[in-house]
Amino acid sequence: MATSGEHLIDKNNLPQHIAFIMDGNGRWAKKRGKPRTFGHAEGAKVFERIVEKAGDIGIPHLTFYAFSTENWKRPKQEVDTIMQLLRDYLKTGFRKIEHKDVRINVIGDLTGLAPDLQEEVHKLMERTKDRKKMIVNLALNYGGRDEIVRAVKKMVEEAEGGISPEDITDAALSAHMDTYLSPDPDLIVRPSGEYRLSNFLIWQCAYAEFWFSDILWPDFSEKDLVDCILAYQGRNRRYGGV
Ligand code: IPE
Ligand code: IPE
Ligand code: MG
């Protein structure tokens, strides 16, 4: 079904990669007198809807920030519930979007996840690896600085004969990032009224456009997706030129 404003989208100027910081779940739940974890469950449903809509519009790459390397600081009960939600999703939930020809690439330090979760993540990535229409990067235990450190370590480990200064290039680093399957994001979407990156894609967003909003993630709608694409299409990207 068409969303209001969708007909205004210029299909020849679509962002090729949109990245979302799924923030505001806790405040959304609190406003309704519910536990924060209720907001996380609702936020997961929005994730599915946005993947579907972005697929229909024709956006080939998406990234979603689901759990940061810093989110372990939260109360154990909240972290446990988020991990359980993930477990359920990895086992069954993703099937709703998988039929859309979506390849799921989980990014972040997977070794920090519980062993059973790591196994489910690997199964999901293996099961979807030949899907072609869309790549969805899902950031779990993800931190931008951590990703850069791991990328450098990978480069050093791979270069068995030793690494020389000329091997360290922009392209080589990009190829060792967790997001190597996707181009740099054209658009970063941060709802929830915060104006920061919170350690998200700090290498990749060198020339990204930003879209901020007070909307809390569980309220983020298909219409908001259309709005941010239209806002993006109104931007003048100069990349340092004129
Ligand atoms: C984002 O929502 C989800 C995670 C970080 C896991 P929050 O839980 O940060 O919600 P707020 O920002 O406290 O409202
Ligand atoms: C960013 O949200 C991380 C995710 C959405 C997964 P946070 O709620 O952790 O960010 P801060 O703490 O407000 O910067
Ligand atoms: Mg938050």
Side-chain angles (χ1 to χ4, degrees):
M1 208 178 69
T3 302
S4 150
E6 198 176 336
H7 65 288
L8 298 171
I9 292 176
D10 174 1
K11 295 277 181 178
N12 296 314
N13 181 26
L14 286 177
Q16 295 300 293
H17 183 179
I18 309 181
F20 299 87
I21 301 179
M22 303 193 283
D23 196 19
N25 295 348
R27 279 165 283 175
W28 183 90
K30 196 170 169 222
K31 266 174 50 185
R32 284 158 182 78
K34 306 264 196 201
R36 293 174 56 82
T37 48
F38 181 72
H40 298 315
E42 207 55 35
K45 292 184 202 157
V46 173
F47 158 79
E48 275 166 26
R49 298 217 315 265
I50 296 306
V51 172
E52 289 220 29
K53 188 73 198 180
D56 293 346
I57 294 172
I59 313 289
H61 298 267
L62 301 172
T63 299
F64 293 87
Y65 204 4
F67 194 86
S68 76
T69 45
E70 288 75 35
N71 286 149
W72 299 104
K73 290 178 195 158
R74 296 183 177 205
K76 183 174 184 302
Q77 192 259 336
E78 180 175 348
V79 171
D80 287 351
T81 312
I82 293 172
M83 292 299 152
Q84 191 51 45
L85 195 66
L86 265 171
R87 204 167 262 120
D88 297 344
Y89 250 81
L90 288 163
K91 287 198 176 128
T92 55
F94 286 108
R95 293 192 191 274
K96 282 191 212 146
I97 54 169
E98 279 178 37
H99 73 275
K100 291 264 173 183
D101 205 16
V102 178
R103 176 173 183 180
I104 296 170
N105 180 40
V106 180
I107 64 172
D109 181 5
L110 302 184
T111 63
L113 300 177
D116 71 310
L117 269 175
Q118 290 184 40
E119 202 185 314
E120 290 300 332
V121 164
H122 290 302
K123 275 200 242 165
L124 176 71
M125 293 205 284
E126 183 59 27
R127 189 166 79 229
T128 63
K129 74 176 190 320
D130 297 322
R131 309 257 164 96
K132 298 273 183 294
K133 184 177 167 200
M134 236 196 304
I135 289 180
V136 170
N137 299 294
L138 181 68
L140 297 182
N141 191 26
Y142 174 88
R145 288 193 173 189
D146 178 66
E147 182 189 31
I148 295 169
V149 170
R150 285 186 292 102
V152 173
K153 282 187 184 161
K154 270 185 240 168
M155 282 174 68
V156 173
E157 276 160 18
E158 278 170 23
E160 283 166 3
I163 197 156
S164 55
E166 52 277 15
D167 296 331
I168 305 169
T169 63
D170 184 322
L173 266 158
S174 291
H176 288 82
M177 292 290 160
D178 298 343
T179 52
Y180 69 101
L181 294 170
S182 300
D184 285 347
D186 296 303
L187 179 63
I188 307 270
V189 172
R190 179 151 201 172
S192 91
E194 313 294 355
Y195 299 86
R196 53 178 172 259
L197 276 175
S198 304
N199 204 8
F200 187 47
L201 302 181
I202 55 176
W203 168 267
Q204 297 88 338
C205 74
Y207 266 102
E209 296 294 325
F210 289 84
W211 190 86
F212 294 103
S213 155
D214 288 343
I215 299 162
L216 302 173
W217 177 256
D219 288 329
F220 192 88
S221 67
E222 286 88 341
K223 167 85 172 67
D224 296 316
L225 176 67
V226 168
D227 285 352
C228 64
I229 294 171
L230 290 173
Y232 167 82
Q233 294 188 328
R235 306 275 176 92
N236 180 8
R237 303 184 80 188
R238 286 188 292 276
Y239 298 99
V242 285

